[in-house]
Structure formats: structure tokens, C-alpha cells
Amino acid sequence: MRIDVITIFPDYIAPLGLSLVGKAIDAGTIELRVHDLRAFTRDRHHTVDDTPYGGGPGMVMKPEPWGEALDQILGSDPIQARPRLVVPTPSGRPFTQSVAQEYAADDWLIFACGRYEGIDSRVVEHYRNSTTVDEVSVGDYVLAGGEAAVLVMVEAAARLLPGVLGNPVSVVDDSFAPGAMESLLEGPVYTKPPEWRGQQVPEILLSGDHGKIAAWRREQAVRRTAAMRPDLLE
Ligand code: SAM
């Protein structure tokens, strides 16, 4: 999978070089290219923002550097593949596990990290004509920029790629995993020692009875979902 990230803070994306995603990059499963938006400006000050039309507080990202950056990146693929252009924004569709699965099935993702009050809206409209554009939100809160959202989305998608997780069965039991446990949160998990600071690991988990353990886990998942996210049970 190829991933391009356009940002005014390329260093912000460095954590993707660590852990699971970093290993996937080293193994060649993911090809990550990070681009500095300011490299696509033409003025002496490398300006990427300007005041909003119609007035109001804050600045808006200018369309020209985005156009130059996206044209160059889109044109860099010799077989003219159609990537998905992901634009993080609090006003986008919610990023969920099923969106992470959609992304994991893609060959090429381009992430456009906004800053200030966001990117001039004509940029998204322009690229809708030539590629799939996905405006997505990582939650009902406002970040200072799209970079943290990109770290979240790339990690969620990358761990679903074949060979990225040491044990691929892990994703089956995850909260929000599709299948029997879909829309249930994962229940409590334990490891050794069997007793820690006076608390015992639930007896059933030491029983070796896989049927009873599975039933117990499901019951715990339902309890936790009812307590933390009753909306999911509805
Ligand atoms: N004025 C914008 C609004 O209210 O929709 C918020 C702009 S925010 C300060 C700057 C950038 O942070 C956005 O363009 C987007 O890239 C990113 N961002 C902020 N919150 C986000 C969220 N919940 N999900 C995804 N991206 C977010």
C-alpha cells in the first residue's frame, strides 16, 4: 500500500516510523511518502494561508499550494492509479473500524492535513472530479491540525493489512471487529501472574474450557458495552 501525507509539519508524521507501522514500512508492506506543503509555494515566505473571504477569525489554507502538491503526487504514479484522497476535518463522516477496513483494502491513500480554519473548499471540489475524495472526522472535537488524525487513521488501517500483526486473530476479537462480536466492546483482559495485589484472575479463564471461556467473554463484552456505550447495543 502506498501512503502519501501532505502537511506543513512533516516531523509530526515521524511516529509512523515506530512500532507496527514502522515494521510494515521496513518490510515494504507500506510505502510512506511525506510531503512538505510549503515546498509547493512560489513566494519568498512560503505562504500557505490567507484571510477568509466573508470575514471572521483565523486563516484559511490557500488552494494554490494544495493544487500544486496534489497534481504532482497524483501525476507521480506511472500506471495512473486512482488513489483515495483523505481530507481529515471535524465536519467529515465519522472514521470507524469499518472505514479503517475500507482503507486497508485500498492500494493508495493520500492524506491532506489541514491547519488553521481548514483548506479552501474548492480544493476538495476540484479533486472530486478525478479521484475518490473522503472527508473524515476522528471524533466530535476539534484538533489544531489533521496530522494527529492521520496518525490515528494510518495505524488503524495498517494493523488490518495482511502480515502486519504478529497474530492476525487479534483483530477478530477487537472492539468493533466485524462478525459475531460486532458492535460489542472487548471485555477485560488478563495475563500472568494469576494474583496481583490481592486481585485474582477470573477462575473461568484458568479452566481450559474454551466453550465456557468464549461464553464468559461474550457476556463481559455485553456488560462493558452496556456500561460504556449503550448506544451500540441499540
Ligand atoms: N474550523 C474548522 C471546523 O470547525 O470544522 C476546524 C479547523 S481545525 C482547527 C484545523 C484542521 O484540523 C482541520 O482542517 C482538520 O484537518 C484537522 N482536524 C481538527 N479536528 C479534526 C477532527 N475531529 N477530525 C479530523 N480532522 C480534524
Side-chain angles (χ1 to χ4, degrees):
M1 170 190 272
R2 173 173 167 187
I3 297 176
D4 289 82
V5 182
I6 313 166
T7 167
I8 58 169
F9 295 116
D11 291 348
Y12 210 124
I13 307 303
L16 290 182
L18 303 172
S19 187
L20 285 176
V21 183
K23 281 188 192 151
I25 293 169
D26 292 344
T29 310
I30 294 174
E31 180 194 350
L32 176 68
R33 302 187 193 180
V34 181
H35 310 268
D36 185 348
L37 182 69
R38 291 192 196 279
F40 297 91
T41 55
R42 289 174 184 258
D43 65 311
R44 207 156 51 93
H45 301 291
H46 302 293
T47 311
V48 292
D49 61 317
D50 208 332
T51 51
Y53 275 122
M59 302 293 269
V60 174
M61 294 191 105
K62 292 163 68 61
E64 300 98 319
W66 282 106
E68 302 245 348
L70 287 165
D71 286 351
Q72 191 187 99
I73 294 165
L74 288 163
S76 68
D77 183 60
I79 57 163
Q80 302 282 298
R82 268 170 64 104
R84 185 195 298 258
L85 172 59
V86 183
V87 183
T89 167
S91 55
R93 68 167 171 147
F95 181 77
T96 61
Q97 187 68 13
S98 80
V99 178
Q101 272 161 345
E102 284 174 38
Y103 289 6
D106 283 340
D107 293 329
W108 186 7
L109 299 169
I110 302 175
F111 290 94
C113 300
R115 282 265 152 186
Y116 316 111
E117 294 306 319
I119 303 170
D120 185 305
S121 296
R122 290 169 292 183
V123 173
V124 158
E125 292 316 316
H126 176 78
Y127 287 98
R128 272 194 213 291
N129 297 323
S130 54
T131 199
T132 307
V133 178
D134 205 5
E135 294 180 279
V136 275
S137 167
V138 293
D140 292 345
Y141 43 78
V142 178
L143 299 165
E147 291 78 6
V150 168
L151 297 181
V152 166
M153 291 188 274
V154 170
E155 185 160 308
R159 66 191 288 283
L160 300 175
L161 294 175
V164 169
L165 282 188
N167 182 352
V169 177
S170 305
V171 298
V172 177
D173 289 340
D174 280 340
S175 303
F176 313 114
M181 300 285 266
E182 192 162 14
S183 75
L184 288 181
L185 303 178
E186 192 177 85
V189 294
Y190 303 90
T191 186
K192 297 174 197 67
E195 191 208 314
W196 181 73
R197 297 192 180 181
Q199 291 186 73
Q200 307 287 338
V201 167
E203 195 75 39
I204 184 93
L205 296 178
L206 310 175
S207 69
D209 185 330
H210 298 299
K212 283 193 178 150
I213 290 172
W216 182 85
R217 283 191 169 142
R218 190 177 166 78
E219 186 202 317
Q220 294 296 316
V222 172
R223 277 176 198 265
R224 185 162 180 87
T225 310
M228 306 301 259
R229 293 287 305 276
D231 56 304
L232 292 178
L233 289 181
E234 285 157 21

